[in-house]
């Protein structure tokens, strides 16, 4: 994916627009497969909340991935995109027993992360195989906003409560076929990951009929120059060896599963916006673009850094800018960014716009959600049309106050 392809897409589309590079997704997938090529049964389940367009899901299926879902709607999207229910794992948090039963009914692998739900589900459906999500209480993340391993986290069943899990399993005679952990985004340190994995291995030995161990995700990808990224190859070497050991001790060759989101799609994505105006104040130069946190909220929500480049003037002299949106709120995408000189009408590209970008969009300020384009086989394919006014009012009901409206 280069500037001139992005420019040509921007010229044809009304801005703003999301563009995804299928080749980059494939590269990341291959890289993960390669790093764990020593594992007999490797299962990569794409965490589709990162980017849930059905064409992206279908592409994941083409590559051979399964799907990790967190809602019944994501399960249905997966099936719509062509996944078999058996290729889908459902890892919700805080949802109703009823929704979990619905997913189980569809034939999806259930992953339960609450003792209360486990007991109720096991009592009613002892024959349905269930994975349990444990919380190893390891904070692998560097950013406390997105670490989910700490002791009072709402995610997972605490490893200190495993005796309770075992009692439920014994009393209900339910079948636990997998043990799962997801220690949160952004693993900086492989040793921390391996430490958490040990806890998963120890826990797994307590269950006799496992078919898989799921190590979740949290692989870090670089967002800016100099960023540390998870060394997948080193992790692959170390974890593969340890996994073989485990399988020997356990007495069967079970599956090793991962559920990456960011790792597969973050770097494949570009978000293209147009500069509406340049505005100088006493201390700042603002580049005001035709977007806002309605289209890309990560910088405002948790301070994420997305590199911003000027693809209309890539060779231009670099100047400092604050890149801001058009929403009637503070919506700063980046402050004091060194960007090739910007003129009004230029197209800026946000990098790393594949994960948690489109999937977090909204209609705030009654703006339309952008189009999505997949760059695949040297062609730009529209995989989501830009919204129109019809989409905005589709589910709204206009009451007629001229006639007496019935209560
Ligand atoms: C969000 C999520 C993932 C994906 O995390 P990334 O940091 O995007 O790789 C994996 N597993 C579960 C259970 C999740 O909720």
């Amino acid at each position: 994916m280069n500037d001139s392809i992005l420019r040509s897409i921007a010229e044809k589309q009304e801005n703003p627009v999301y563009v995804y590079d299928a080749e980059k997704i494939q590269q990341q997938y291959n890289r993960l497969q390669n790093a764990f090529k020593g594992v007999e049964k490797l299962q990569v389940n794409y965490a589709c909340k990162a980017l849930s367009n059905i064409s992206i899901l279908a592409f994941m299926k083409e590559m051979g991935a399964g799907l990790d879902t967190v809602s019944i709607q994501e399960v249905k999207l997966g099936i719509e995109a062509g996944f078999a229910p058996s290729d889908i794992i459902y890892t919700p948090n805080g949802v109703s027993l009823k929704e979990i039963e619905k997913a189980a009914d569809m034939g999806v692998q259930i992953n339960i992360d609450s003792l209360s739900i486990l007991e109720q589900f096991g009592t009613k459906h002892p024959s349905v195989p269930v994975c349990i999500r444990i919380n190893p209480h390891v904070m692998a993340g560097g950013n406390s906003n997105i670490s989910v391993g700490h002791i009072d986290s709402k995610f997972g069943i605490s490893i200190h409560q495993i005796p309770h899990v075992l009692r439920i399993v014994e009393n209900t005679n339910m079948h636990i076929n997998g043990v799962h952990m997801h220690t949160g985004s952004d693993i900086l340190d492989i040793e921390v990951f391996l430490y958490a994995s040990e806890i998963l291995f120890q826990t797994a030995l307590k269950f006799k009929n496992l078919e898989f161990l799921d190590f979740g995700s949290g692989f870090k990808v670089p967002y800016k120059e100099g960023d540390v990224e998870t060394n997948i190859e080193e992790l692959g070497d170390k974890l593969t060896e340890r996994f073989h050991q485990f399988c020997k001790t356990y007495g069967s060759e079970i599956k090793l599963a991962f559920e990456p989101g960011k790792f597969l799609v973050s770097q494949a994505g570009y978000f293209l916006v147009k500069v509406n105006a340049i505005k100088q104040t006493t201390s700042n130069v603002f580049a005001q673009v035709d977007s806002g946190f309605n289209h890309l909220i990560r910088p405002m929500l948790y301070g994420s850094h997305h590199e911003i480049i000027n693809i209309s003037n890539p060779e231009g002299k670099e100047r400092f800018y604050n890149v801001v949106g058009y929403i009637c709120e503070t919506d700063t995408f980046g402050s004091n960014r060194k960007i090739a000189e910007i003129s009004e009408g230029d197209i800026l590209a946000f990098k790393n716009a594949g994960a948690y970008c489109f999937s977090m969009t909204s209609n705030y300020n009654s703006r339309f959600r952008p189009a999505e384009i997949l760059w695949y086989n040297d062609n730009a394919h529209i995989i989501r049309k830009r919204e129109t006014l019809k989409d905005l009012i589709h589910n709204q009901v206009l009451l007629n106050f001229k006639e007496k409206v019935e209560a």
Side-chain angles (χ1 to χ4, degrees):
M1 197 94 237
N2 56 39
D3 288 359
S4 85
I5 293 172
L6 290 174
R7 262 199 312 273
S8 77
I9 292 173
E11 274 157 23
K12 284 194 202 97
Q13 293 295 321
E14 248 185 289
N15 297 105
V17 58
Y18 275 95
V19 183
Y20 312 114
D21 180 4
E23 201 180 314
K24 182 67 189 172
I25 297 174
Q26 179 82 59
Q27 270 174 19
Q28 291 293 97
Y29 183 78
N30 294 350
R31 210 182 133 196
L32 190 58
Q33 288 283 340
N34 232 345
F36 288 89
K37 60 181 182 297
V39 173
E40 258 113 287
K41 299 181 189 168
L42 180 71
Q43 175 70 41
V44 175
N45 295 319
Y46 167 57
C48 73
K49 71 178 186 293
L51 174 59
S52 48
N53 185 292
I54 53 176
S55 285
I56 298 292
L57 305 194
F59 186 66
M60 294 290 173
K61 183 176 153 35
E62 278 301 302
M63 292 193 305
L67 212 58
D68 178 69
T69 58
V70 295
S71 70
I72 194 80
Q73 288 79 11
E74 283 189 352
V75 170
K76 288 177 182 171
L77 280 183
I79 289 169
E80 186 74 31
F83 281 93
S86 54
D87 292 330
I88 302 177
I89 179 165
Y90 170 66
T91 306
N93 173 262
V95 312
S96 67
L97 176 64
K98 205 167 137 206
E99 187 173 311
I100 293 175
E101 286 175 323
K102 232 187 243 169
D105 224 31
M106 294 167 81
V108 165
Q109 171 69 50
I110 303 300
N111 190 2
I112 291 182
D113 91 331
S114 130
L115 282 173
S116 166
I117 297 284
L118 187 73
E119 184 173 301
Q120 294 176 71
F121 190 89
T123 303
K124 285 175 78 177
H125 317 281
S127 63
V128 176
V130 165
C131 174
I132 53 163
R133 176 177 184 174
I134 63 154
N135 188 333
H137 304 308
V138 173
M139 267 197 288
N143 181 339
S144 62
N145 291 326
I146 42 181
S147 296
V148 293
H150 60 88
I151 192 97
D152 287 322
S153 158
K154 69 167 190 159
F155 296 99
I157 298 172
S158 166
I159 39 150
H160 305 302
Q161 293 172 311
I162 292 301
H164 195 162
V165 171
L166 293 172
R167 195 166 56 84
I168 290 171
V169 171
E170 197 169 303
N171 289 345
T172 58
N173 210 14
M174 67 191 297
H175 174 196
I176 302 298
N177 68 339
V179 184
H180 165 276
M181 70 168 190
H182 171 63
T183 52
S185 277
D186 293 354
I187 294 168
L188 288 168
D189 190 343
I190 289 179
E191 296 310 316
V192 178
F193 189 84
L194 292 170
Y195 177 81
S197 303
E198 276 316 309
I199 297 170
L200 193 69
F201 287 129
Q202 295 315 316
T203 308
L205 290 173
K206 299 187 162 69
F207 299 90
K208 295 297 157 235
N209 299 302
L210 294 184
E211 289 154 29
F212 65 96
L213 279 188
D214 191 330
F215 291 81
S217 174
F219 304 139
K220 191 173 167 58
V221 296
Y223 274 73
K224 55 175 184 279
E225 225 167 287
D227 263 3
V228 198
E229 84 175 288
T230 306
N231 187 336
I232 293 281
E233 289 72 23
E234 187 188 343
L235 180 66
D237 285 346
K238 292 185 169 164
L239 190 59
T240 299
E241 195 188 330
R242 181 64 186 91
F243 188 70
H244 282 151
Q245 258 177 32
F246 170 82
C247 288
K248 241 188 222 150
T249 312
Y250 191 70
S252 89
E253 203 57 56
I254 62 173
K255 267 197 252 178
L256 190 165
F258 281 114
E259 40 189 43
K262 214 181 252 178
F263 180 81
L264 292 178
V265 296
S266 174
Q267 293 157 292
Y270 299 83
F271 180 47
L272 309 182
V273 300
K274 188 177 266 176
V275 177
N276 283 334
I278 300 286
K279 184 175 196 172
Q280 272 115 357
T281 65
T282 51
S283 63
N284 276 325
V285 182
F286 289 107
Q288 298 180 295
V289 303
D290 62 349
S291 184
F293 67 58
N294 50 330
H295 296 156
L296 191 137
I297 200 173
R298 299 184 79 251
M300 303 85 179
L301 188 64
Y302 34 60
S304 304
H305 181 103
H306 286 264
E307 213 181 298
I308 306 168
I309 55 174
N310 183 358
I311 59 169
S312 296
N313 182 25
E315 305 301 326
K317 186 173 155 200
E318 290 187 322
R319 316 286 298 257
F320 286 102
Y321 295 96
N322 285 0
V323 179
V324 296
Y326 61 11
I327 291 294
C328 299
E329 295 266 358
T330 301
D331 57 353
T332 304
F333 288 113
S335 300
N336 296 314
R337 294 296 186 85
K338 228 171 159 184
I339 301 171
E341 184 152 21
I342 302 174
S343 308
E344 293 176 354
D346 280 357
I347 303 293
L348 306 186
F350 289 80
K351 293 171 111 175
N352 285 77
Y356 308 105
C357 292
F358 189 94
S359 59
M360 289 190 179
T361 55
S362 74
N363 288 118
Y364 186 53
N365 278 201
S366 296
R367 294 286 185 181
F368 304 139
R369 284 189 178 82
E372 291 179 289
I373 304 276
L374 183 64
W375 181 255
Y376 175 70
N377 272 351
D378 292 329
N379 265 302
H381 302 268
I382 295 187
I383 57 171
R384 186 191 300 265
K385 295 180 201 160
R386 186 173 193 262
E387 285 180 336
T388 64
L389 194 66
K390 249 197 195 136
D391 298 307
L392 275 192
I393 54 181
H394 181 63
N395 280 325
Q396 300 191 50
V397 177
L398 180 61
L399 293 183
N400 185 348
F401 292 99
K402 298 245 160 47
E403 283 160 31
K404 194 169 153 248
V405 175
E406 296 287 326

